[in-house]
């Protein structure tokens, strides 16, 4: 592409018809003041440090050093998404500048090829959650996929680190994250290089079992159960008939389960079509229906809970007699005599009985720990299973040695630790069972969200003329795009869509948290899972299955629960060296006590009558090995994050993972946008003052014609007011030519025979429009009333001032006061004039304000605050505020509603309530209080417990910790950490009392 062509494209990219003036205004400028324009060592071509103008970057002397690439970016839905892409690209080294066109789905990047490549830029965009490709590449399919695996056998942080390492090292894997709390792995991979089955193989080669939960290849997938004549011929007919349907991508038959799994494109076909094809192709010999099966994740957890419960109960059958014969019956004279009766030489009946009973516990019930320890050692990363296997085997095999020696000796008195090995395994199994039960409760929020969808729906059937001819109740999972669903009073909306007939009020609190029912009429959108209060609605389905708002929220929460908080790195670092150090310390403990006993460094009276110094030392060594618990450290952060993200989602606060939580709890400064954030965001025209003799309707015809092309809320308010001056419903406005919009300032256009300029005072001055003293007085009056004055000029002369008011949100003043009590400073930044900004700030109680700010200036202000050492949150509507949202430490998008795809924000506030800002910060602070307490407990337990197990109190008090008690304490530590995190389920957001 030549320099001239490239420059032409760049000007069109910013909007045709605006000429050089528009290019200068909309040219890219650095939104991050601290970011270098060029990597160190790169020479600046052409002298001049260069502004942000892309045209300059595209041509001239810099052409040899700089390169311009245009990418197609899919998945963007709003300006916030564009800001997210821009932020991801600008973080790369060697990026000169970047612009993102959300409407055209394009991103243009000016970069230095010596420092970064097109592939790296593509990867950065995809890491931000979008699909990207060079615009000249003809890739007809999605190659970057995201799959989830359920991984069995992970016991601690060693296991997760090992799995994550091998996955990340696999060719074609872009990113892999493994969560111990959910026992899942989320992998982003290139299917041209590696497949999901190969990823499973990679995991299984490390010694774990992997089960595929979801893969990006099957975004729209359904499992159908087949009944009837299922011979080879029928199955072949079913497969060929279904595969011939348009949109069907893959079909898999499972003859054992009578199940067929079909992947399809929802735009071209749907589940009902598939069922009908199967039935008609086989002449009714084979019928298909939804295959009812529990959620994969719940099913795996249920199987694991059942396995641990059964193992624990079986261990009790053997362990209780071992405990009784060693700890209880020895104090009952007639039983003691029977147990001490000699069988072979000095081997007693009690020892033989304990040996027999403890053996199945050690090798049958406890085989899981052997398998886990073996796999861990093969990987070179010893874990909790290694400690358990070493501790129990040491106790068991020493006991075997002692008993066998007694059986072959006439005077050797044996001391066995069979109760230690069997009771250790039993307590650990109990701890694991309780831990899995507790961890299952951390994801209850997701289960509740998924249960919101109704089981059935009423499908309306139409004739060729569009008349309703009947209705049929169907499974809600059989809804297809463009189906019309009837929603009766009290019923749940079965699918996302829009109302085509009827009016009612819909309770959306279960999705958005909005307590008041929302009025719905023809043309309004509805969300699946919400409840219809009154009236009948006919809803046309638009987003079904995985595309629905409910499914997106579930996926967002699931991804958030997979994301690690930075504080978790602390636990990861400790876990890497924990087990080897414990094993070493255990050996040193045994050696120290053994040597001390041999040298008679302590009185013989310290040693229990049934033990010698070797056995005492051995007991201390085993206790050290089994009391150490790295699991509690590994669970400290993820369990709290899982519960917090679930609780937040239930209250309409979608938190995108541990990073967002950790940053939010540090926030000491919040920057608020005005329109739509502090105000309701639905401005209305309250007054109009004309400075020239003209008809009011004619004045608004010209003004509305210019503003109709603008998306700004003020422009929409003017257009809505102009419509009221016309009796007809769909008034056609005069044509506007050469339309120019300058964000945050105003618009220009040629309407009929007049040149129309609508905007604020600074926009008029920059356009060389003289503002009369009378108009200035009007503006000042409006500003004092906290209103926005909009000037209208025609043919370069001011002809009127429109007064627009946007009411303050309820409780705005109380929210600012509460934030102040939390030691959080509030700042308001707006593109509105200073007078209106001052009036609003006084009303809500904000002292520091910045007015007449452009979007890039908001981002620069956020950066300045950060450079002064503040942790900054930005609260905005995610559209004009997206540059500041992506620059802030924490971006909070307010008023998202069903738009859960706001990627630029770290936290999405689904309601428009300012109180949720407090909820987000308060929840993050309470979550990290729990996390800190978890670490205090997990570390304190090990720091205090290990020395006690090593016998530090024994010389002064004679107290020693039996290994089975140490094992019970270890099992309790993990359970206590999970239960402490679970207390977040009862979190209540602060109540703001209205003054």
């Amino acid at each position: 592409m030549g320099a001239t062509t490239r420059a032409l494209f760049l000007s069109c990219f910013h909007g045709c018809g605006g000429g050089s003036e528009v290019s200068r205004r909309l040219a890219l400028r650095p939104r991050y003041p601290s970011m270098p324009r060029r990597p160190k060592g790169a020479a600046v071509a052409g002298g001049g440090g260069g502004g942000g103008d892309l045209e300059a970057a595209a041509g001239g002397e810099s052409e040899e050093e700089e390169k311009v690439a245009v990418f197609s970016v899919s998945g963007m839905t709003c300006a916030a998404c564009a800001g997210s892409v821009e932020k991801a690209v600008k973080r790369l080294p060697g990026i000169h500048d970047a612009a993102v066109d959300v409407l055209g789905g394009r991103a243009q990047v000016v970069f230095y090829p010596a420092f970064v490549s097109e592939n790296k830029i593509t990867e950065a965009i995809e890491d931000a959650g979008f699909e990207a490709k060079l615009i000249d590449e003809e890739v007809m399919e999605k190659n970057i996929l995201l799959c989830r695996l359920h991984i069995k056998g992970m016991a601690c942080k060693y296991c997760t680190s090992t799995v994550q390492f091998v996955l990340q090292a696999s060719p074609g894997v872009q990113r892999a994250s493994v969560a111990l709390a959910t026992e899942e792995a989320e992998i982003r991979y290139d299917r041209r290089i590696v497949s999901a089955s190969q990823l499973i193989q990679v995991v299984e080669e490390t010694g774990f079992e992997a089960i595929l939960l979801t893969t990006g290849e099957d975004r729209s997938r359904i499992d159908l159960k087949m009944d009837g004549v299922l011979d080879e011929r029928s199955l072949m007919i079913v497969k060929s008939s279904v595969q011939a349907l348009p949109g069907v991508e893959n079909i898999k038959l499972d003859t054992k389960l009578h199940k067929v799994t079909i992947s399809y494109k929802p735009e071209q076909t749907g589940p009902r079509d598939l069922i009908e094809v199967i039935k008609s192709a086989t002449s009714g010999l084979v019928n298909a229906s939804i295959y009812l099966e529990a959620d994969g994740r719940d099913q795996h957890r249920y199987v694991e809970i059942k396995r641990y419960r059964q193992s624990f109960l079986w261990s009790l059958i053997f362990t209780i007699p071992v405990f009784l014969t060693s700890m209880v019956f020895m104090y009952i004279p007639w039983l003691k005599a029977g147990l001490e009766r000699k069988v072979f030489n000095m081997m007693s009946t009690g020892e033989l009985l304990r040996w027999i009973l403890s053996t199945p516990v050690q090798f049958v019930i406890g085989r899981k720990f052997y398998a886990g320890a073996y796999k861990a050692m093969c990987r070179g990363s010893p874990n909790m299973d290694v400690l358990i296997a070493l501790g129990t085997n040491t106790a068991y095999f020493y006991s075997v040695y002692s008993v066998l020696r007694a059986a072959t000796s006439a005077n050797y008195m044996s001391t066995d630790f069979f109760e230690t090995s069997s009771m250790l395994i039993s307590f650990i199994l109990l701890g694991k069972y309780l831990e899995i039960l507790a961890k299952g409760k951390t994801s209850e929020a997701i289960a509740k969200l998924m249960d919101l969808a109704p089981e059935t729906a009423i499908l309306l059937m139409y004739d060729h003329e569009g008349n309703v001819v009947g209705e049929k109740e169907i499974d809600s999972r059989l809804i297809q795009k463009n189906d019309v669903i009837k929603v009766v009073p009290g019923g749940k909306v079965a699918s996302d869509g829009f109302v085509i007939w009827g009016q009612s009020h819909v309770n959306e609190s279960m999705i958005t948290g909005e307590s008041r029912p929302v009025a719905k009429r023809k043309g309004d959108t509805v969300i699946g899972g919400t409840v219809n209060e009154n009236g009948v609605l006919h809803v046309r389905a638009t987003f079904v299955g995985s595309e629905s708002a409910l499914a997106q929220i579930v996926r967002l929460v699931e991804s958030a629960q997979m994301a690690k908080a930075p504080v978790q790195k602390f636990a990861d670092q400790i876990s890497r060296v924990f087990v080897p150090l414990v094993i070493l310390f255990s050996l040193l403990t045994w050696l120290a006590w053994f040597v001390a006993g041999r040298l008679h460094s302590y009185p013989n009276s310290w040693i229990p009558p049934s033990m010698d110094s070797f056995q005492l030392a051995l007991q201390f060594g085993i206790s050290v090995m089994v009391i150490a618990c790295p699991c509690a450290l590994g669970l400290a952060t993820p369990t709290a994050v899982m519960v917090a993200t679930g609780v937040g989602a239930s209250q309409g606060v979608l938190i995108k993972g541990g990073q967002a939580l950790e940053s939010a709890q540090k926030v000491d400064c919040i920057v608020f946008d005005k329109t739509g954030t502090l105000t309701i965001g639905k401005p209305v025209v309250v007054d109009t003052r004309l400075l020239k003799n003209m008809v009011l309707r004619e004045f608004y015809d010209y003004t509305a014609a210019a503003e109709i092309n603008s998306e700004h809320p003020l422009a929409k308010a003017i257009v809505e007011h102009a419509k009221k001056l016309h009796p007809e419903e769909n008034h056609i406005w005069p044509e506007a030519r050469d339309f120019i919009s300058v964000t945050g300032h105003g618009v220009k256009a040629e309407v009929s025979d007049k040149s129309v300029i609508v905007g604020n005072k600074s926009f008029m001055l920059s356009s060389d429009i003289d503002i009369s003293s009378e108009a200035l007085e009007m503006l000042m009056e409006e500003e004092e009333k906290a209103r926005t004055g909009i000037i209208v000029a025609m043919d370069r002369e001011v002809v009127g001032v429109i007064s627009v008011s946007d009411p303050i949100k309820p409780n705005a003043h109380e929210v600012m006061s509460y934030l102040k009590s939390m030691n959080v400073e509030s700042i308001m930044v707006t593109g509105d004039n200073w007078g209106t900004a001052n009036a609003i700030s006084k009303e809500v109680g904000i002292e520091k304000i910045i007015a007449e700010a452009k979007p890039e200036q908001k981002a620069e202000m956020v950066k300045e605050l950060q450079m002064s050492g503040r942790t900054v949150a930005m609260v905005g509507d995610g559209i004009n505020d997206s540059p500041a949202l992506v620059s802030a430490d924490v971006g909070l998008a307010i008023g998202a509603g069903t738009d859960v795809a706001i990627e630029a924000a770290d936290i999405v506030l689904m309601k428009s309530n300012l109180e949720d800002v407090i909820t987000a910060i308060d929840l993050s602070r309470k979550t990290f209080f729990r996390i800190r307490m978890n670490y205090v407990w997990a570390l304190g337990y090990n720091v205090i417990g290990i020395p006690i197990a090593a016998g530090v109190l024994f010389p002064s008090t004679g107290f020693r910790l039996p290994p089975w008690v140490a094992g019970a304490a270890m099992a309790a530590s993990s359970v206590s950490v999970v239960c402490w995190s679970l207390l977040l389920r009862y979190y209540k957001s602060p109540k703001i009392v209205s003054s």
Side-chain angles (χ1 to χ4, degrees):
M1 185 185 289
T4 307
T5 308
R6 200 156 54 224
L8 176 61
F9 173 81
L10 290 168
S11 63
C12 293
F13 188 87
H14 288 304
C16 296
S20 59
E21 184 177 3
V22 182
S23 295
R24 284 197 300 273
R25 282 206 181 90
L26 300 185
L28 290 167
R29 294 178 177 85
R31 289 177 173 173
Y32 312 98
S34 60
M35 186 198 311
R37 298 286 297 174
R38 177 186 297 265
K40 291 181 180 179
V44 180
D53 199 49
L54 274 177
E55 289 85 347
E61 296 179 9
S62 64
E63 186 177 3
E64 292 181 4
E65 294 186 29
E66 294 177 352
K67 191 173 181 181
V68 179
V70 181
F71 298 84
S72 171
V73 182
S74 58
M76 297 189 297
T77 59
C78 62
C81 299
S84 182
V85 172
E86 183 179 333
K87 183 176 182 179
V89 172
K90 284 187 173 183
R91 282 175 172 165
L92 293 172
I95 299 296
H96 179 81
D97 237 326
V100 181
D101 175 16
V102 66
L103 297 178
R106 295 179 296 176
Q108 182 203 308
V109 184
V110 183
F111 64 100
Y112 304 100
F115 295 90
V116 67
S117 64
E118 290 93 335
N119 288 338
K120 288 289 184 185
I121 298 171
T122 303
E123 289 176 7
I125 297 173
E126 288 174 344
D127 285 341
F130 304 91
E131 297 171 33
K133 60 183 177 182
L134 279 171
I135 209 155
D136 55 331
E137 279 188 347
E138 295 184 2
V139 180
M140 302 304 293
E141 59 182 357
K142 178 184 173 186
N143 292 315
I144 305 302
L145 302 176
L146 188 73
C147 77
R148 285 176 178 269
L149 302 179
H150 174 77
I151 301 175
K152 291 184 176 181
M154 295 192 300
C156 62
K157 289 301 298 177
Y158 283 105
C159 304
T160 57
S161 299
T162 301
V163 174
Q164 186 164 321
F165 176 78
V166 296
L167 285 172
Q168 198 70 57
S170 300
V173 173
Q174 294 186 350
R175 184 179 66 244
S177 59
V178 182
L180 177 62
T182 58
E183 295 183 333
E184 288 183 14
E186 186 177 82
I187 309 146
R188 188 179 184 83
Y189 67 101
D190 189 335
R191 70 174 174 185
R192 294 170 295 184
I193 303 173
V194 66
S195 65
S197 59
Q198 289 173 317
L199 294 174
I200 292 174
Q201 186 178 351
V202 166
V203 173
E204 291 181 341
E205 285 175 356
T206 64
F208 299 98
E209 183 182 351
I211 299 172
L212 184 65
L213 292 178
T214 60
T215 171
E217 296 175 359
D218 298 327
R219 292 298 296 274
S220 295
R221 187 180 71 176
I222 191 169
D223 293 331
L224 299 177
K225 183 181 180 181
M226 296 182 295
D227 296 307
V229 181
L230 299 176
D231 54 23
E232 188 176 343
R233 181 176 175 275
S234 297
L235 293 175
M236 184 189 68
I237 292 173
V238 167
K239 187 171 184 178
S240 58
S241 301
V242 171
Q243 221 153 20
L245 274 177
V248 173
E249 297 178 337
N250 188 30
I251 179 171
K252 186 192 299 181
L253 293 170
D254 189 331
T255 54
K256 291 183 179 178
L257 297 176
H258 295 181
K259 182 173 74 171
V260 56
T261 302
I262 305 166
S263 304
Y264 62 94
K265 295 179 180 178
E267 297 84 3
Q268 299 181 23
T269 189
R272 286 203 319 281
D273 295 338
L274 299 171
I275 291 173
E276 289 172 8
V277 163
I278 291 173
K279 185 176 180 179
S280 60
T282 59
S283 302
L285 295 176
V286 178
N287 292 315
S289 58
I290 295 290
Y291 190 87
L292 299 177
E293 186 177 40
D295 178 67
R297 183 184 300 101
D298 293 337
Q299 193 175 24
H300 296 314
R301 184 175 290 116
Y302 174 75
V303 169
E304 196 169 18
I305 289 172
K306 184 179 179 182
R307 189 177 75 244
Y308 272 111
R309 184 175 64 243
Q310 289 177 345
S311 297
F312 171 64
L313 292 176
W314 274 109
S315 71
L316 281 184
I317 294 173
F318 296 98
T319 301
I320 290 175
V322 172
F323 171 77
L324 292 175
T325 57
S326 62
M327 301 286 186
V328 179
F329 292 167
M330 301 307 292
Y331 297 98
I332 303 175
W334 61 275
L335 288 175
K336 180 180 180 182
L339 292 172
E340 290 183 347
R341 188 170 141 194
K342 306 304 178 186
V343 181
F344 302 107
N345 289 331
M346 296 299 292
M347 184 176 72
S348 66
T349 306
E351 291 166 349
L352 180 60
L353 187 61
R354 286 192 291 273
W355 184 8
I356 294 170
L357 290 170
S358 63
T359 299
V361 177
Q362 184 70 32
F363 298 108
V364 180
I365 298 172
R367 67 185 181 275
K368 175 190 180 297
F369 303 115
Y370 283 97
Y374 171 75
K375 293 171 182 176
M377 294 308 295
C378 289
R379 297 190 302 267
S381 56
N383 62 3
M384 196 66 223
D385 290 335
V386 173
L387 294 178
I388 296 168
L390 280 175
T392 56
N393 275 314
T394 302
Y396 178 84
F397 284 109
Y398 175 78
S399 301
V400 171
Y401 158 78
S402 180
V403 170
L404 288 177
R405 184 176 174 184
T408 57
S409 172
N411 53 15
Y412 178 77
M413 291 293 295
S414 69
T415 300
D416 68 88
F417 297 111
F418 286 122
E419 83 284 348
T420 294
S421 64
S422 57
M423 291 178 69
L424 264 175
I425 289 174
S426 296
F427 275 115
I428 291 167
L429 287 172
L430 174 62
K432 284 290 184 183
Y433 171 65
L434 295 175
E435 182 183 319
I436 293 168
L437 281 177
K439 284 196 294 186
K441 294 182 183 297
T442 61
S443 56
E444 276 188 353
I446 291 180
K448 288 179 180 178
L449 282 171
M450 296 175 73
D451 288 341
L452 289 176
E455 293 182 0
T456 60
I458 301 174
L459 175 69
L460 295 179
M461 293 173 285
Y462 290 80
D463 58 18
H464 295 295
E465 297 179 358
N467 300 315
V468 178
V469 294
E471 57 185 52
K472 181 173 65 173
E473 187 174 73
I474 62 170
D475 191 308
S476 62
R477 289 169 293 184
L478 296 178
I479 296 175
Q480 301 180 176
K481 279 191 175 181
N482 295 318
D483 280 347
V484 178
I485 305 300
K486 179 181 178 181
V487 188
V488 297
K492 286 186 176 181
V493 179
S495 169
D496 291 3
F498 61 91
V499 179
I500 62 171
W501 181 87
Q503 58 183 15
S504 180
H505 285 80
V506 176
N507 183 355
E508 298 181 344
S509 60
M510 62 289 301
I511 301 292
T512 65
E514 179 61 55
S515 58
R516 291 175 297 179
V518 181
K520 301 291 181 182
R521 59 179 62 189
K522 184 178 179 180
D524 290 340
T525 58
V526 291
I527 312 170
T530 55
V531 178
N532 183 24
E533 295 279 339
N534 49 32
V536 178
L537 296 176
H538 291 181
V539 176
R540 186 174 297 281
T542 53
F543 299 107
V544 297
S546 61
E547 295 180 337
S548 68
L550 189 59
Q552 289 184 56
I553 294 172
V554 170
R555 281 201 303 272
L556 190 149
V557 176
E558 285 178 335
S559 296
Q561 293 180 343
M562 292 287 296
K564 292 183 179 180
V567 72
Q568 198 169 336
K569 294 177 182 176
F570 169 69
D572 294 344
Q573 291 168 353
I574 294 177
S575 297
R576 288 191 188 100
V577 297
F578 188 87
V579 174
L581 287 177
V582 167
I583 295 173
L584 178 62
F585 187 70
S586 178
L587 292 173
L588 291 175
T589 299
W590 172 82
L591 184 62
W593 281 107
F594 178 68
V595 172
R598 289 295 184 183
L599 296 177
H600 302 288
S601 299
Y602 52 83
N604 287 333
S605 59
W606 289 5
I607 305 175
S610 60
M611 290 188 185
D612 57 21
S613 60
F614 177 85
Q615 293 165 343
L616 182 65
L618 183 64
Q619 190 179 72
F620 283 132
I622 294 172
S623 295
V624 168
M625 207 174 298
V626 298
I627 199 172
C629 184
C631 297
L633 281 170
L635 292 169
T637 300
T639 52
V641 170
M642 282 186 70
V643 178
T645 50
V647 168
S650 67
Q651 299 196 20
V653 179
L654 299 181
I655 304 167
K656 298 184 179 180
Q659 173 73 62
L661 271 172
E662 185 163 349
S663 298
Q665 59 100 19
K666 299 176 184 175
V667 166
D668 56 12
C669 176
I670 300 182
V671 178
F672 288 93
D673 174 50
K674 179 181 74 70
T675 305
T677 303
L678 293 174
T679 62
I680 291 176
K682 293 182 179 179
V684 292
V685 175
V686 293
D687 194 13
T688 307
R689 301 188 188 185
L690 298 179
L691 299 175
K692 298 293 179 182
N693 289 325
M694 62 186 307
V695 179
L696 183 63
R697 189 165 69 174
E698 181 187 4
F699 167 82
Y700 268 105
D701 282 350
Y702 281 104
T703 306
E707 292 279 34
I708 192 72
N709 295 310
S710 174
E711 290 296 318
H712 197 281
L714 297 179
K716 291 181 179 180
I718 292 173
V719 173
E720 286 300 316
H721 186 75
K723 287 179 181 178
K724 296 176 183 178
L725 301 177
H726 292 274
E728 64 272 21
E729 186 175 345
N730 296 314
H731 179 72
I732 299 175
W733 306 106
E735 181 184 359
R737 304 181 308 276
D738 299 331
F739 174 79
I740 299 171
S741 175
V742 180
T743 305
H745 288 271
V747 298
K748 296 180 180 181
E750 295 291 328
V751 181
S752 298
D753 57 341
K754 294 183 182 292
S755 172
V756 180
I757 302 177
V758 185
N760 57 23
K761 182 170 67 174
S762 62
F763 188 54
M764 294 295 161
L765 295 176
S766 65
S767 302
D768 297 328
I769 303 295
D770 290 329
I771 305 174
S772 64
S773 57
E774 186 180 359
L776 291 173
E777 287 178 9
M778 292 179 183
L779 290 176
M780 291 180 63
E781 290 176 11
E782 298 303 324
E783 290 171 3
E784 289 173 358
K785 298 175 184 177
R787 298 174 179 174
T788 301
I790 299 173
I791 303 173
V792 180
M794 296 182 187
D795 292 333
R796 309 194 63 78
E797 185 178 7
V798 175
V799 296
V801 175
I802 300 173
S803 175
V804 179
S805 175
D806 189 4
I808 302 293
K809 282 185 178 177
N811 292 338
H813 187 275
E814 289 77 8
V815 169
M816 300 306 136
S817 299
Y818 198 96
L819 286 172
K820 191 173 183 179
S821 70
M822 297 172 71
N823 296 319
V824 177
E825 181 186 4
S826 298
I827 300 173
M828 185 180 78
V829 59
T830 177
D832 212 337
N833 60 74
W834 279 98
T836 303
N838 280 318
I840 296 290
S841 67
K842 288 178 183 177
E843 193 170 343
V844 300
I846 294 179
E847 296 176 0
K848 187 174 181 180
I849 62 170
I850 294 178
E852 299 180 4
K854 297 178 182 179
E856 58 268 26
Q857 290 173 329
K858 295 180 183 180
E860 289 171 7
M861 178 197 170
V862 168
K863 274 294 181 185
E864 289 172 6
L865 289 167
Q866 290 170 330
M867 292 172 69
S868 66
R870 310 295 294 275
T871 302
V872 184
M874 173 68 195
V875 186
D877 58 12
I879 301 173
N880 293 330
D881 308 308
S882 58
L885 280 170
V886 297
S887 298
D889 296 290
V890 184
L892 294 95
I894 196 166
T898 60
D899 187 10
V900 296
I902 298 184
E903 297 292 342
D906 302 296
I907 299 174
V908 180
L909 309 179
M910 297 188 68
K911 298 178 284 182
S912 295
N913 295 343
L914 281 173
E915 291 94 325
D916 287 343
V917 176
I918 294 174
T919 299
I921 295 174
D922 185 64
L923 177 59
S924 66
R925 290 182 177 181
K926 284 185 168 57
T927 300
F928 267 78
F929 170 75
R930 300 277 176 188
I931 290 173
R932 291 188 192 99
M933 290 299 101
N934 280 342
Y935 279 128
V936 167
W937 165 248
L939 286 173
Y941 160 82
N942 284 290
V943 168
I944 296 171
I946 291 176
I948 292 175
V952 71
L953 299 178
F954 188 68
S956 59
T957 65
F959 176 80
R960 59 188 176 88
L961 197 65
W964 65 270
V965 176
M970 182 272 290
S973 65
S974 295
V975 177
S976 62
V977 164
V978 176
C979 290
W980 181 249
S981 296
L982 282 175
L983 291 176
L984 279 170
R985 291 193 304 162
Y986 306 105
Y987 169 81
K988 300 294 183 184
S989 58
K991 297 298 180 184
I992 310 300
V993 181
S994 301
S995 58

